Amino acid sequence: MDRTNDGGAERTADGVSGGAPGGSSGGASGAPGVPGAAPGGASGGAPGAPGAASGGAWRPGFRFSAADEEKRRGVRRMKTVATGLLLLVAAVYAVAKWQQTTGAGAWAGYVAAAAEAGMVGALADWFAVTALFKRPMGLPIPHTAIIPTKKDTLGRSLGDFVGENFLSAEVVRQRLRGVGIGARLGGWLAEPDNADRVTAELSTALRGALRVLRDSDVQAVVGEAITRRADAQEIAPGIGRMLERVVDDGGHRRIVDLVCVRAYDWLVLHGDSVMEAVAGGAPGWTPRFVDRKVGERVYRELLRFVGEMRDMPDHPARGAVDRFLADFAEDLRTDADTRARVERLKSELLARGEVQDLIASAWGAVRTMVVTAAEDERSELRLRTRTGLLSLGARLATDDRLRAKVDGWLEDAAVHVVTTYRDEITLLITETVASWDADHTSRKIEAHIGRDLQFIRINGTVVGALAGLAIYGVSRALGA
């Protein structure tokens, strides 16, 4: 505990030892005529400057600001006024009593009664104000030094009060419903400048998030998610249904046309290769010219067959392809053996390194594309985002149903947060108050409310004097 005491008196920020009438530790008012070092070791005076106060070193984040210092000076001025009024009333009382002994008129009794009651009121209120921050005159009187000794209890009570009266679901709903966030948000977003600002902020946030993410982590997550999803779901029935719809709609015929055209062109360009392949597969005992003749015949027949398939939509081979695809679609949906083969093929494909590399590279391509679009003010992504925000703002401003729906979402979200984390919020208040130093807490509070408390002393003096005057007057009127 770092103290700068001189004979038990704590030095204040201006270097003056506390203990003048009206002074007290923690900034409370002091008793008239009580020296700065009160019995029991309590030091008087205004709160010390940061770094020179009693009660230990100042805690980080709990210091007196310039505004606090100005308030402390105001408190000291009001203490001077309140104490001066008490001394004035005491002097008036002394003069009035002296006048009574010298045979002055009845007025002296009235003045003495008013002054006496004023002193009683002033002292009573001085005691009450001082008891908030310290033990008056250092005496261990019960129920004094309330703030230093009850700080933790007050913190718990404050936390409970906030939790019950500010963090209840009904209070949150009523408050948000009264604010009308949906309508305000709609009107704000409907302004083009605001939509531009939100678009820019969203783009910045998106770029930052994508750049912070590690490619290896995201690729691992994406690859694992795709693989797990593919393993968990059988694909054969879905492929069968899709193929069946394609065959029914004739969508496969374009593919057949393309294959026939390409096959015919390939045969035209590679006729020699086809004939050599046929001749090379002939038995070794056949003459070479026979092999060539057979190869040429096979090539011509093959070229004719492919050409007819290309040029004849009703070619029997095309019908065979249609029937094969229809039967295969049916097998994919109903045949257990075909479905099992497709599942094995799927697992083998997913396990291949090339497929995993393809999945991993997809993330890099997507990220680059999104980052580039987010940086370009004229990109389709940003233009569509801006248009969407303007449209949302206009709808929120005019569509009562949408506005009510948005307000309901916000209310539900706020209520969920409040009801879920209410105990943590109130515990934060309780623990924060408990972590404060008791003396410093008293000084901080006194700096903010001490001026009003000194008015209580002044009012007590005035009200006490008026009450004493009234009581004395009534007593005289009744002949007491």
Side-chain angles (χ1 to χ4, degrees):
M1 305 290 280
D2 183 16
R3 296 179 180 273
T4 53
N5 292 345
D6 184 8
E10 178 185 342
R11 299 190 63 79
T12 62
D14 54 8
V16 179
S17 178
S24 68
S25 174
S29 52
V34 178
S43 59
S54 64
W58 284 82
R59 295 176 182 267
F62 195 69
R63 298 178 180 275
F64 279 95
S65 63
D68 292 333
E69 292 296 335
E70 179 60 29
K71 291 176 181 178
R72 289 174 61 245
R73 286 190 288 270
V75 171
R76 287 197 295 269
R77 288 193 294 269
M78 289 309 303
K79 285 182 182 179
T80 301
V81 172
T83 303
L85 181 59
L86 173 60
L87 295 176
L88 175 62
V89 171
V92 170
Y93 174 75
V95 171
K97 296 299 287 185
W98 174 68
Q99 287 293 324
Q100 279 186 313
T101 60
T102 60
W107 64 269
Y110 285 94
V111 173
E116 182 179 13
M119 287 190 296
V120 173
L123 291 172
D125 287 337
W126 163 83
F127 181 89
V129 171
T130 303
L132 289 174
F133 303 99
K134 63 164 289 184
R135 300 191 184 280
M137 301 176 65
L139 300 176
I141 303 173
H143 304 294
T144 57
I146 294 175
I147 291 178
T149 58
K150 300 292 184 180
K151 173 179 64 67
D152 294 348
T153 302
L154 293 174
R156 288 191 295 271
S157 300
L158 178 61
D160 294 340
F161 176 81
V162 171
E164 293 173 2
N165 296 279
F166 293 93
L167 300 180
S168 65
E170 187 60 31
V171 170
V172 172
R173 287 190 182 275
Q174 290 180 354
R175 180 58 181 167
L176 291 178
R177 195 171 297 125
V179 171
I181 296 179
R184 294 189 180 188
L185 178 62
W188 190 81
L189 283 178
E191 296 292 333
D193 291 342
N194 296 332
D196 291 339
R197 179 180 176 184
V198 174
T199 301
E201 293 296 334
L202 289 176
S203 299
T204 302
L206 179 60
R207 294 198 307 269
L210 292 177
R211 287 171 175 168
V212 167
L213 293 174
R214 294 199 312 177
D215 288 347
S216 58
D217 294 338
V218 177
Q219 290 169 358
V221 171
V222 173
E224 193 273 338
I226 294 176
T227 303
R228 185 178 66 249
R229 180 67 180 272
D231 286 337
Q233 185 173 2
E234 186 179 4
I235 64 172
I239 295 176
R241 287 189 294 270
M242 180 181 68
L243 180 59
E244 188 176 33
R245 287 195 296 268
V246 170
V247 173
D248 291 340
D249 295 338
H252 68 290
R253 293 191 181 115
R254 292 186 178 181
I255 299 177
V256 175
D257 292 340
L258 178 62
V259 171
C260 291
V261 170
R262 292 298 179 88
Y264 186 87
D265 293 341
W266 187 88
L267 287 173
V268 171
L269 292 174
H270 301 87
D272 294 339
S273 299
V274 174
M275 288 185 288
E276 289 177 3
V278 174
W285 50 267
T286 58
R288 298 282 296 175
F289 75 93
V290 175
D291 296 339
R292 286 196 299 272
K293 288 294 183 179
V294 172
E296 291 174 359
R297 182 60 182 270
V298 171
Y299 171 70
R300 285 196 300 271
E301 289 298 322
L302 183 61
L303 188 64
R304 181 186 61 80
F305 178 80
V306 175
E308 289 177 352
M309 280 193 67
R310 180 195 64 181
D311 299 331
M312 298 173 59
D314 297 330
H315 194 277
R318 284 179 176 262
V321 171
D322 293 345
R323 291 189 297 274
F324 167 77
L325 292 176
D327 293 341
F328 184 58
E330 179 69 17
D331 291 341
L332 286 172
R333 291 191 298 105
T334 60
D335 184 64
D337 184 59
T338 302
R339 291 167 61 174
R341 291 181 180 181
V342 172
E343 287 301 306
R344 286 195 297 271
L345 178 61
K346 177 192 70 175
S347 299
E348 292 173 0
L349 287 174
L350 290 175
R352 293 185 66 87
E354 297 88 341
V355 176
Q356 293 297 321
D357 292 341
L358 178 62
I359 295 174
S361 64
W363 160 249
V366 170
R367 189 190 69 165
T368 301
M369 179 182 66
V370 174
V371 170
T372 302
E375 291 175 345
D376 185 4
E377 294 183 359
R378 297 184 180 181
S379 67
E380 190 69 16
L381 175 64
R382 293 189 62 163
L383 291 177
R384 286 183 177 271
T385 301
R386 180 181 183 276
T387 302
L389 290 172
L390 289 172
S391 176
L392 176 62
R395 290 188 60 193
L396 283 174
T398 58
D399 191 338
D400 293 338
R401 288 186 58 188
L402 178 61
R403 189 163 56 244
K405 187 177 295 184
V406 171
D407 287 339
W409 290 339
L410 294 174
E411 290 174 15
D412 292 341
V415 168
H416 173 74
V417 172
V418 166
T419 55
T420 304
Y421 300 103
R422 177 167 52 195
D423 293 341
E424 285 79 358
I425 296 172
T426 56
L427 183 62
L428 174 64
I429 297 174
T430 301
E431 292 181 347
T432 300
V433 174
S435 67
W436 292 345
D437 180 81
D439 291 339
H440 297 166
T441 302
S442 298
R443 296 168 190 269
K444 188 81 170 179
I445 295 175
E446 202 268 345
H448 285 264
I449 66 173
R451 194 168 184 272
D452 293 325
L453 294 178
Q454 300 310 312
F455 274 108
I456 293 177
R457 294 179 56 196
I458 295 172
N459 293 336
T461 304
V462 175
V463 172
L466 294 176
L469 180 61
I471 293 172
Y472 184 80
V474 171
S475 299
R476 291 295 299 269
L478 296 177

